[in-house]
Amino acid sequence: MSPLKIKKGATSHSAYDLRPNFSDKEERHTLAVLVENEPGVLSRVIGLFAGRGYNIDSLTVAEVDHLGHRSRITIVTSGTPQIIVQIKAQLGRIVDVHKVNDLTVEGPSVERELALFKVTGTGNDRIEAIRLADIFRASVVDSTLESFVFEITGTPEKIDAFAELMRPLGLEEIARTGVAALSRGAVA
Amino acid sequence: MTKAMTGAKMVVQALIDQGVDTVFGYPGGAVLPIYDEIFQQNSIKHVLVRHEQGAVHAAEGYARSTGKPGVALVTSGPGATNAVTGLTDALMDSIPIVVLTGQVPTFMIGSDAFQECDTVGITRPCTKHNWLVKETDKLSSVLHEAFHIATSGRPGPVVIDIPKDVQFATGTYTEARQVETHYNPQVKGDMEMITELAAAMEKAKRPLFYTGGGVINSGPAASQLLRELVAATGFPITSTLMGLGCYPASGDNWLGMLGMHGLYEANMAMHDCDLMINIGARFDDRITGRLDAFSPGSTKAHIDIDASSINKVIKVDIPILGDVAHVLEDLLNVWKARGRKTDKENVQKWWHQINDWKKVDCLAFEQKGKVIKPQYALSRLEELTKKHDRYICTEVGQHQMWAAQYLGFEDPNRWMTSGGLGTMGYGFPASIGVQMGHPDALVINVAGEASWLMNMQELGTAMQYGLPVKQFILNNERLGMVRQWQELLHGERYSSSWSESLPDFVKLAEAFGAKGIICDDPDNLDDAIMEMLTHDGPVLFDCLVEKHENCFPMIPSGKPHNEMLLGENADVANAIKSDGAVMV
Ligand SMILES: Cc1ncc(C[n+]2csc(CCOP(=O)(O)OP(=O)(O)O)c2C)c(N)n1
Ligand SMILES: [Mg+2]
């Protein structure tokens, strides 16, 4: 067999700790998975979660580096610490995966999600809806005489809270993007 | 240097550049251009199998016995789907193979064209990696990368799906050394962890090496270093089914195989040890038995190339991520530099305990009467062949476990068995692959009659290429392992576990032009085996054995190691409670 050239900076060390303290409590983790932007890569990641019975609470994916041919998949998952370590290790095995970062344990991070809300109503409900939207800094991106479409950004919890408040006021439909997340500070 | 050539030519060129000498395959419309190129060269031998499953198992057998990646070539659609069992088998056992599949032309993909299937979709979960190559210019670099990925890190199967128009079109050939890759798994272990393990070895009172297929996959150096380590420390060693041969069966410290049908002394030592050193094994459920009772008092170290194997089922205390040979080399150096210390006195006591367990003589059997016991057949096979340059394959079932128990393996790469997937039909084609890699060696497939029938068509292949593979069938006229479980777990209701309407194996052999031998008398067995060994050509040996022999020792599913069943007198009826019965 002829050897190949190993690229500079090729990752061989993984981000996960092999000797963690395991408890049986379920935890929610946000994972940032940097992948080669190849056809089928998302299917590999999703197939892994489905095949091994892991949870996906939220998943977003988009190309983040066109020249470098990289996409970033942000997955919010939950499981016991042992399962979370397994998930990261299994993701690390996928040949198209360059890096797995656990934003939940690797220092502070910011999480944002965007959502669109369609709310219909008239009279007081309509006034209350717009008042609450203002408090939540949601903006109106479409309106008719009996409906609004609000755009809201924030943590998933904030969007959940907004949904709870809109429900009795004529909430018709929600579209959510899923979570995008980055670590805080200067280092990537 | 870059050269222009067709995609089909690139395939052959890349295989030559990767040092491939043998391809197992079966043609069809979507690979005709590649077959045309194979026709016009002499560097690579093509072995025409009789079913694509056979091609993949043959490639596995070739890979496992030579340490080089195996290669299979199949057509689109049914060719690719027939390869799926072999791919899954190779994934489970970490066998490096490269499987090339033809695909309908790119402009027809997605149109439900004749013999189209979503090969990369179907094989995604059963390969280490796969590619659909849509541009001829990219084909050669993908081919080179495929060999790199199949063989580095934890080895495994890869698939390259090549549409027919990509095979016809001309592109630029890239040589392997020009191909860049980011796939570079860590091979060196963490020195701090290695030092911690060395320190644990110095203090251990009841240490045990628990080795697996990772030692074999790491290459001959790993087995060599393991032998050195075992000799230097004097610790006992056991191995999984996959690891047989990494330490010689004749070695002083060998306890035999462990696990569900492992030896009493090996399983008891696993249960009672205070330091378990797992080298390239993965705490498979055939090994651990009941998890919460698995080796309760031991500190566990685990050396593995795959981070996902560490802490997957058993939490370990000393995890070492790395290649077995690299880690063992460092471990030996560290342990020697620290003064080569062990707790000799306590290790001695540990050996006394182990030797007491050995006295149970768990593999003892009595050959009485006129019916051949399968254990006896294998003991005679062992006796009459152990001096040969010998390679053993197996099918799946009782005969497989008996082969693991009664045959001795002195070196790695001599034992080819479907461990993880347990694929009936693996052994015969695998033996063809082994014989292709070792034309002058004695290659024996220990088979059950039911398993052997699953890929019996490969007798045509063995004949066509003059491969003198010996098919040693332990014919109990039963799906023996299934029958055993039905006896133990399902009230002796033998639902569909009779091998009925069996062929006359001698006539079957003769129909293909091969030699058939039948033996049903223990007194004639040696002569019959000698006749098989001296025949220069494929032999189908129909060894009629005791029909209802059970395979012992056995750890019933859901039980811990120290509750194993030893033999016919064991209280088998009550051994397996309903909570264990749900496990396979
Ligand atoms: C492809 C496949 N199908 C089914 C099984 C389940 N199975 C395991 S062992 C066995 C019986 C094997 O019979 P035989 O080859 O005669 O071997 P024996 O156990 O009698 O030695 C069966 C059906 C399997 N392992 N593989
Ligand atoms: Mg049988």
Side-chain angles (χ1 to χ4, degrees), chain B residues 50-72:
Chain B
R50 299 302 190 260
H51 185 293
E52 289 86 352
Q53 185 186 354
V56 183
H57 292 324
E60 286 187 274
Y62 178 92
R64 288 178 71 158
S65 63
T66 61
K68 294 193 291 181
V71 180

Side-chain angles (χ1 to χ4, degrees), chain A residues 74-123:
Chain A
T74 308
I75 305 172
V76 181
T77 183
S78 48
T80 61
Q82 188 174 8
I83 293 291
I84 300 287
V85 172
Q86 254 304 291
I87 291 174
K88 289 185 271 182
Q90 292 289 355
L91 283 169
R93 286 175 83 187
I94 297 176
V95 171
D96 281 336
V97 167
H98 289 277
K99 213 162 92 176
V100 181
N101 284 111
D102 186 341
L103 297 175
T104 306
V105 296
E106 294 166 25
S109 61
V110 279
E111 283 189 10
R112 287 294 178 271
E113 189 176 357
L114 184 142
L116 298 173
F117 281 71
K118 182 171 287 178
V119 180
T120 58
T122 50

Side-chain angles (χ1 to χ4, degrees), chain B residues 73-332:
Chain B
L73 168 61
V74 302
T75 193
S76 65
T81 55
N82 275 348
V84 165
T85 300
L87 289 167
T88 313
D89 191 90
L91 186 72
M92 292 288 272
D93 285 349
S94 308
I95 308 304
I97 55 169
V98 176
V99 176
L100 309 171
T101 56
Q103 182 55 278
V104 302
T106 49
F107 52 85
M108 290 179 83
I109 289 178
S111 70
D112 298 320
F114 178 62
Q115 295 195 329
E116 178 184 1
C117 74
D118 177 8
T119 300
V120 283
I122 290 170
T123 61
R124 201 170 281 133
C126 61
T127 52
K128 183 175 175 185
H129 198 62
N130 64 11
W131 299 260
L132 166 64
V133 184
K134 289 183 170 171
E135 290 160 57
T136 307
D137 274 335
K138 293 196 174 147
L139 180 56
S140 50
S141 44
V142 168
L143 284 157
H144 294 309
E145 195 178 13
F147 278 87
H148 172 69
I149 288 174
T151 53
S152 30
R154 179 175 178 174
V158 297
V159 162
I160 309 169
D161 197 26
I162 315 172
K164 198 171 179 181
D165 55 334
V166 173
Q167 299 170 33
F168 271 125
T170 300
T172 310
Y173 183 81
T174 315
E175 282 175 29
R177 56 188 168 75
Q178 297 170 301
V179 177
E180 290 202 327
T181 181
H182 70 87
Y183 185 74
N184 186 28
Q186 175 177 336
V187 291
K188 291 283 276 184
D190 184 303
M191 285 312 278
E192 241 173 77
M193 291 289 179
I194 290 174
T195 309
E196 210 173 298
L197 174 53
M201 284 162 53
E202 292 165 1
K203 286 197 272 333
K205 295 181 167 53
R206 299 184 307 281
L208 178 66
F209 290 114
Y210 151 43
T211 58
V215 183
I216 314 259
N217 269 337
S218 177
S223 289
Q224 204 44 53
L225 288 158
L226 177 70
R227 288 160 193 227
E228 204 185 310
L229 185 65
V230 172
T233 56
F235 293 172
I237 171 168
T238 178
S239 158
T240 66
L241 181 74
M242 291 298 296
L244 295 178
C246 66
Y247 181 82
S250 62
D252 290 339
N253 299 37
W254 179 237
L255 301 191
M257 178 177 80
L258 81 159
M260 183 174 268
H261 291 291
L263 272 66
Y264 180 70
E265 48 270 39
N267 285 328
M268 291 301 284
M270 280 293 271
H271 188 268
D272 283 5
C273 65
D274 73 344
L275 175 65
M276 177 188 296
I277 307 165
N278 174 341
I279 309 177
R282 59 183 177 91
F283 296 108
D284 178 79
D285 54 75
R286 299 292 97 159
I287 298 305
T288 58
R290 203 175 104 200
L291 283 178
D292 58 4
F294 175 67
S295 193
S298 59
T299 297
K300 297 174 184 74
H302 187 182
I303 303 167
D304 206 296
I305 188 95
D306 179 359
S308 75
S309 285
I310 298 178
N311 288 322
K312 182 170 68 179
V313 282
I314 296 288
K315 295 173 191 177
V316 297
D317 308 284
I318 309 174
I320 303 174
L321 181 61
D323 166 60
V324 169
H326 285 81
V327 173
L328 288 186
E329 186 175 23
D330 287 340
L331 179 63
L332 257 169

Side-chain angles (χ1 to χ4, degrees), chain A residues 114-121 141-142 146-152 159 162-177:
Chain A
L114 184 142
L116 298 173
F117 281 71
K118 182 171 287 178
V119 180
T120 58
V141 291
D142 177 71
E146 61 269 12
S147 70
F148 288 121
V149 174
F150 295 117
E151 176 195 310
I152 178 169
I159 292 169
F162 189 60
E164 279 315 303
L165 292 171
M166 286 297 122
R167 198 147 282 138
L169 302 176
L171 177 59
E172 288 292 334
E173 221 179 348
I174 308 179
R176 296 174 71 149
T177 58

